[in-house]
Amino acid sequence: MSTEFDRADNLHRPPLGAAVTSTTRPLIVTPTFVSRVDDTPRGERPQDPGASKSRHGHEVHFPNWRPHALALESDPNLAFEHWDEYWRKVHGPKFAWDEPGSSSARVLRYDQVHRIASGPSSAFPPPYRAMVDDNGRLPTDPERRVPPLRRPRWDGFAYIAYADEADIENTLKQEKFAERVVADEQVAFRMVTREITREYILIASARHRDPVSLVKIHMRAPGLSREEFQRRMLDEHAPLVMAQPATREFVRRYAQLHNIGSTQADPEGSRIDAVSVLSFASLNDVEDYLVSADHAAIEASESPLLGEGSEWWTGINYSVINRLVPELATAWR
C-alpha cells in the first residue's frame, strides 16, 4: 500500500496509522446525524441556518426553487451520487488531515455510515415479497403499483469517538474545524446534529472494518425519563440482544450510545435518547437477522420502550480514523 500521499486519510487507520492504548471504559462519542443537500422542500426536511450553500457562499434558502444554485450539485438527478461521493472522498480526508497548526490526534475513531436505500429500514423492512394478484400472478400493470418512497429522516451519521468530553472542545475549537470543516459541512449537509453520547461497546469488533451497520435511533416512550430509558436499554435489553443465537451468528459488533448532552443548541439531536449500532459482514446477514425469530424477541423487548420519531436503517460503514486497535468491550456492569 502506497504511503507517498501525506494528506491521505489512510494514514489515520490500520495498517498505516498508529494505534493508542485500547480501553474498557466508556468512550465519548458524537454521533452526528446528517441529511444531505438536495432540492427537497424545507417543509419536508428542515435546514440549518447557513447550510445548503451556493457557489457564491450564500445559503440557498429554498433549494426546491433554486437547485441549480447549490454548490454541491446543480443537477437534481445527480445530487445523491455526488453527495455520497463528496462526503466519503472529499469531506472525510479534509476532516482527517492535520493541516499546519491543527491536530486530529484526540479523535480516536471516525467512521462514516452512509445510509443506502436498498438496505433494510423501518420504512421498508424485510422480508421482501413478490407483488401478486389474487391468482398468485405478477400484475401486468406494475406502473400503477409502485410503492411510495418513505425516506428516513437521516441520510447517515458520523461516528466520532474521544477518550474524554473535554477532547471534543479541544478538537473542534481549532481553527481548522471551527472554520473550514464547518464551512465544508454547509456545502454537503442541510442539517447536522450535535449530540454527545457515552458509548457502551457490548460486542467488540475483531477488526473494526465491518462493512455494514444497522443503525437504530431511539426516542423514548412517553412516561419514561431519559435516565430510566437508558438504564433499561443497557441493563435489560442489551443482555437479551446478546443472548440470542442469531446475534451470535450474524452480529460482528454491537454498541449503544446514550445521549448526555450536545456541543451546541441542537433541537433535533436533543430528541434522540440513545442509538444502537449493530455491525454485519453483509446486507444479506442484516436481512436474515431481522426476519429471524430471535430478532422478533428483540423487537418485543424494544418496542415498549420506544416513542414517536424512532427509526432504523442500514448503512455502509467507512473507517476514516481508527486509533483503537484492538477494540475492547466496555466494562459496564
Side-chain angles (χ1 to χ4, degrees):
M1 183 180 295
S2 174
T3 62
E4 62 181 317
F5 303 109
D6 63 352
R7 291 177 288 129
D9 69 348
N10 61 351
L11 300 177
H12 295 268
R13 64 180 190 272
L16 301 181
V20 301
T21 303
S22 297
T23 180
T24 60
R25 71 185 183 90
L27 296 176
I28 299 298
V29 168
T30 55
T32 308
F33 287 92
V34 299
S35 59
R36 64 185 176 88
V37 163
D38 64 7
D39 63 345
T40 304
R42 293 172 69 116
E44 295 180 19
R45 271 192 163 184
Q47 183 169 303
D48 286 334
S52 298
K53 287 250 182 104
S54 73
R55 289 180 295 277
H56 302 291
H58 306 301
E59 178 183 353
V60 179
H61 292 277
F62 300 101
N64 56 313
W65 294 357
R66 302 178 62 231
H68 59 279
L70 293 170
L72 182 63
E73 178 53 59
S74 61
D75 185 344
N77 291 321
L78 301 177
F80 175 79
E81 292 176 67
H82 204 160
W83 168 78
D84 200 47
E85 182 176 69
Y86 188 94
W87 185 19
R88 172 65 192 104
K89 300 178 183 179
V90 180
H91 182 76
K94 285 183 179 182
F95 186 100
W97 183 57
D98 292 335
E99 72 174 23
S102 75
S103 173
S104 61
R106 294 176 186 267
V107 178
L108 300 182
R109 186 177 68 242
Y110 168 30
D111 292 356
Q112 291 182 357
V113 183
H114 294 224
R115 181 177 63 79
I116 52 174
S118 58
S121 72
S122 51
F124 200 152
Y128 313 126
R129 297 180 173 88
M131 185 187 298
V132 298
D133 60 22
D134 293 340
N135 297 315
R137 295 181 178 275
L138 298 176
T140 58
D141 57 346
E143 68 278 1
R144 299 176 181 273
R145 303 170 186 267
V146 177
L149 174 65
R150 295 175 55 210
R151 184 166 59 163
R153 186 169 184 79
W154 304 106
D155 293 313
F157 85 107
Y159 192 143
I160 307 173
Y162 303 85
D164 297 292
E165 193 168 341
D167 291 339
I168 302 173
E169 182 180 0
N170 289 331
T171 298
L172 299 184
K173 74 179 181 182
Q174 297 177 82
E175 181 181 318
K176 167 199 164 180
F177 292 94
E179 297 185 12
R180 286 178 281 285
V181 170
V182 169
D184 202 60
E185 290 178 349
Q186 292 175 330
V187 170
F189 308 126
R190 64 186 293 150
M191 177 163 279
V192 178
T193 65
R194 304 290 184 186
E195 68 262 37
I196 301 171
T197 67
R198 184 173 290 111
E199 178 190 46
Y200 298 93
I201 300 171
L202 304 165
I203 299 174
S205 173
R207 297 186 66 216
H208 204 79
R209 294 172 76 100
D210 306 306
V212 179
S213 290
L214 176 64
V215 181
K216 295 185 174 185
I217 301 171
H218 305 305
M219 299 182 184
R220 68 186 186 273
L224 283 177
S225 68
R226 172 167 288 176
E227 292 74 16
E228 176 64 10
F229 170 78
Q230 292 177 347
R231 184 197 67 77
R232 291 180 63 179
M233 282 293 296
L234 187 61
D235 293 343
E236 299 174 9
H237 182 66
L240 182 143
V241 173
M242 292 187 288
Q244 303 305 313
T247 300
R248 293 193 292 272
E249 179 179 359
F250 294 117
V251 177
R252 300 290 189 89
R253 182 180 190 268
Y254 173 32
Q256 287 187 10
L257 313 177
H258 291 196
N259 196 333
I260 59 172
S262 178
T263 61
Q264 63 183 49
D266 185 13
E268 294 297 322
S270 65
R271 299 170 58 223
I272 300 172
D273 295 293
V275 181
S276 295
V277 185
L278 298 92
S279 299
F280 299 79
S282 72
L283 281 168
N284 288 136
D285 281 358
V286 181
E287 293 168 341
D288 291 346
Y289 183 66
L290 291 173
V291 300
S292 68
D294 291 343
H295 192 264
I298 291 171
E299 283 189 305
S301 165
E302 189 176 71
S303 294
L305 302 177
L306 302 183
E308 184 178 358
S310 301
E311 68 176 31
W312 57 265
W313 37 263
T314 315
I316 297 296
N317 193 82
Y318 301 99
S319 176
V320 182
I321 296 173
N322 185 12
R323 312 187 201 280
L324 296 169
V325 181
E327 183 174 70
L328 304 176
T330 304
W332 56 279
R333 283 182 158 178

